[in-house]
Structure formats: C-alpha cells, structure tokens
Amino acid sequence: MRPNVQATNGQVEAKILDLTVAGHRVATPSAVIGEGADALLLPALSSISAREEMLPLAHELGDTYRCLVPDWPGFGAHPRTRLPLNPANLHAFLDALLAAVPGPYALGVAAGHAAPYLVAAARRHPGAFTRLVLVAPTWRGPLPTAMGPERAAWFGRIRRAVEMPLLGEALYRINISPPIIGRMMRAHVYAEPAHVTPAVVAAKHRITRQNRGRFGTAAFVTGGLDPATSREDFLALFGHGLPPVQVLRPDKAPRRSGAEMDALIATGRVTALPVPGALSAHEEFSGDVAAAIRSA
C-alpha cells in the first residue's frame, strides 16, 4: 500500500499508513524525519504514548538515518482506532507495517513495552533489520509490576471497569488528570523533576484526552498488552536468530523495571550501555541516547 502523504515540512514528512490488522482498517499516523539509511522508531506503550515522544530522537539521528515513527494503534495524539487491543493484534500491526513499508531497516529502535514487540517482529521477519536498539525495555504493565501476580484476578476487573460507558470514562478522567500525570512523570517517566514542566504535562494530558483514549490506557496499565507472562518468557525472545541487539539502560529506571533490564543484560545475549534518564530516556535525553546508538 502506498502511504497517504498529508504534509511535508523540511525534513519532517507526515504520513498516514493505511493498514489492515485482524480485519480492521487501521489508519496509522506516522512521521518521517531525516535522510540516509532507513530506521524504524517505535514509541513506548503507556497512558501518554504518542509518536511525538520519539521525534527528538529522530531529529538527533536524522543526519544519518531516515526515521519512520508510527503511532501504535489505540495510542497517540489523535482519535483512536477501534482495533481490539491485545498482544496478538499488536504483533499483527507490526507485520502489517513491515508489509506496507518493508525497509530493510538499518536500525530498529523501540522504547519500553515496544521493545519486546520489535524483537519478536525481527524474529518473524529475518533480514528486516540490521540491528536493534532497545531503550529501557519493559515487558510487564504497571499494575502487574506493582501488585504482583497474586492479584492478577483484579487486573481484568479493573480493565473492564475503565472500558465501561459513563463509569469507565469517569474513572479514566480521575486517573489521568494533570496533577496525576505530573506525579507519574516525576516518579518514573522522567529522571529530572525540573523537566516535568507545566507545558510538558499539558501536552501529555492532551494525548490522554483523545477519543477512546481510555481503552489503550486500561489495556496497558492492567497488563493486557504484556507481550510475555514471565521473565523467562521475556528472556526467551532473545538469542539465536536475531540481529545484534543493544540495550540502553537508564541510570534512574524504577527499581523493578530496572531489575528486568539487568536480568536481560546478564544473559549476555545483548550488549548494553548506560544512559541518563528513567523510562522515557529517549525523550528526556535524546542527545545522549542518539550518541549511544551511534557508538555501537
């Protein structure tokens, strides 16, 4: 399929990729930035996920790479698709994306929860990527991370409550207010509290207010988009059959998430470099992350 080019501004080109995923039409807003070898940059999955978080890194890499930055279905600063949100459909989304824009890609970059999805896609599509870079890779959603598997029965109930009409929207609005977004960002998204300015919080809040925004948040927060069910399953994604994988480990990653990154690094199946930041190092410290990518 040929992308529908909507606008061009210097080195920034806006596109809509018209994809079909699990029988659903998924119009996928994307940005293309820079010149050079093709690169695919995937933003993290989160309540405030949008391709805009990857644009600073794309600009940093733009003198070397032509970076494609898509939104995930169910996320982004635009009205959301009606695609059912589950791991199978997110894997299928990347398959559809790679069919529409096959590359090959000299570089694949993914942040947070996007990391294991990129790795799985690279395994399904040999030769699509020359190398992979994972920034603060995670595999377990916030509630499973904080509460543990013994409370798993509650996660589905919470997701269903947030997805309900009226009640769900009210619960969602309460939990994505600007003060709560600010606290969340200072706690584990950004490393430097001073970087969480009112303008940054307002921009993130606008992302959450998109039509059907609560569905992506409910799925992610409750573990409904977790691509693995255990650390062992997560680590099994790596190893033979993949291009070289580099992990960028932020020095202020939250304790539990950082432990999962350290477990991956300890396998010896990836190379690793420290970078400043927390879970959104690619946005907060894009220059340092770009330098680490170039150093490999």
Side-chain angles (χ1 to χ4, degrees), residues 14-92:
K15 297 184 176 184
I16 301 292
L17 300 176
D18 190 12
L19 308 179
T20 299
V21 180
H24 296 258
R25 180 179 177 272
V26 178
T28 302
S30 306
V32 178
I33 296 174
E35 298 177 348
D38 284 338
L40 177 64
L41 277 59
L42 298 177
L45 297 171
S46 76
S47 301
I48 53 176
S49 170
R51 68 187 185 279
E52 284 78 5
E53 74 187 52
M54 271 290 179
L55 298 189
L57 179 60
H59 281 291
E60 293 282 352
L61 296 172
D63 59 348
T64 307
Y65 296 99
R66 183 175 186 265
C67 301
L68 172 64
V69 189
D71 269 319
W72 285 97
F75 297 87
H78 54 85
R80 312 295 173 79
T81 178
R82 291 181 178 273
L83 179 73
L85 295 176
N86 54 55
N89 281 349
L90 293 192
H91 287 303

Side-chain angles (χ1 to χ4, degrees), residues 95-252:
D95 289 340
L97 178 69
L98 291 174
V101 193
Y105 295 93
L107 175 67
V109 181
H113 248 50
Y117 282 105
L118 176 64
V119 170
R123 190 173 291 284
R124 293 193 305 274
H125 299 271
F129 299 94
T130 300
R131 68 183 180 112
L132 306 179
V133 176
L134 313 180
V135 187
T138 59
W139 62 268
R140 191 172 51 193
L143 284 183
T145 297
M147 300 175 66
E150 62 274 10
R151 294 183 175 89
W154 283 97
F155 305 152
R157 296 171 190 166
I158 293 170
R159 178 176 180 177
R160 289 190 292 274
V162 176
E163 290 178 343
M164 290 177 61
L166 300 179
L167 171 63
E169 185 65 27
L171 291 171
Y172 177 65
R173 284 176 179 268
I174 291 169
N175 284 282
I176 49 82
S177 66
I180 290 177
I181 290 173
R183 286 201 298 272
M184 173 185 69
M185 293 192 69
R186 286 186 291 270
H188 57 259
V189 178
Y190 277 17
E192 299 297 333
H195 293 168
V196 186
T197 64
V200 168
V201 172
K204 300 300 185 183
H205 187 242
R206 282 194 294 273
I207 292 170
T208 68
R209 296 309 306 134
Q210 299 301 319
N211 185 38
R212 296 180 58 82
R214 73 184 190 275
F215 295 98
T217 289
F220 169 72
V221 168
T222 60
L225 300 181
D226 291 356
T229 58
S230 67
R231 177 186 287 182
E232 291 71 25
D233 287 345
F234 172 61
L235 298 181
L237 290 170
F238 297 83
H240 181 72
L242 290 175
V245 181
Q246 180 186 41
V247 170
L248 303 185
R249 204 287 194 192
D251 57 7
K252 293 185 179 178

